[in-house]
Amino acid sequence: MKFHGSFNDDQPLVAADLDIAIVAEVCKRTPSYECWQQESWIACCDDACEFHGEATQESLLALDQDGLVALSAETGLSFDDLVDMLKDYVPGGSPAVYHFVCRHCKAVHYNADFD
Ligand SMILES: [Zn+2]
């Protein structure tokens, strides 16, 4: 089966200065995930992260201060709005929070988008 076009937007990966072979792997051979807006694949340690689906409320509520600050920056929500949002967060809703894991340092990364 031949695909035309790409599954994933390459811009975030190109911006992270990843090897072109990695960008091609994600953009041409990795099915994208379902999200509200344009997906945004996360890079860490000079590689594309593994996508682990939508974050659970449990995992988000377990974030430490640094994790919450990072998620606040990603979502564009103020810290207080973020904490409020997480109380009612459900996977599949809006905002949706996506869970990525670095294949090298095992760091967990999130990004989010909105309906
Ligand atoms: Zn990493």
Side-chain angles (χ1 to χ4, degrees), residues 16-90:
D17 209 19
L18 292 190
D19 190 281
I20 196 71
I22 296 168
V23 176
E25 178 70 31
V26 170
C27 296
K28 302 292 188 192
R29 288 188 287 279
T30 307
S32 191
Y33 56 91
E34 196 176 318
C35 57
W36 296 111
Q37 313 296 337
Q38 179 82 300
E39 74 289 333
S40 181
W41 213 274
I42 293 179
C44 183
C45 298
D46 294 325
D47 199 358
C49 291
E50 290 173 356
F51 178 59
H52 284 241
E54 285 192 53
T56 62
Q57 185 187 38
E58 190 182 21
S59 66
L60 296 174
L61 290 175
L63 288 173
D64 61 14
Q65 184 79 11
D66 289 349
L68 289 171
V69 167
L71 189 58
S72 165
E74 169 57 38
T75 56
L77 294 170
S78 71
F79 192 85
D80 290 344
D81 286 349
L82 175 69
V83 170
D84 266 357
M85 181 278 277
L86 292 180
K87 289 177 195 158
D88 299 321
Y89 172 78
V90 279

Side-chain angles (χ1 to χ4, degrees), residues 44-46 49 102-107 109:
C44 183
C45 298
D46 294 325
C49 291
C102 177
R103 305 197 305 159
H104 305 281
C105 73
K106 305 299 174 194
H109 297 279

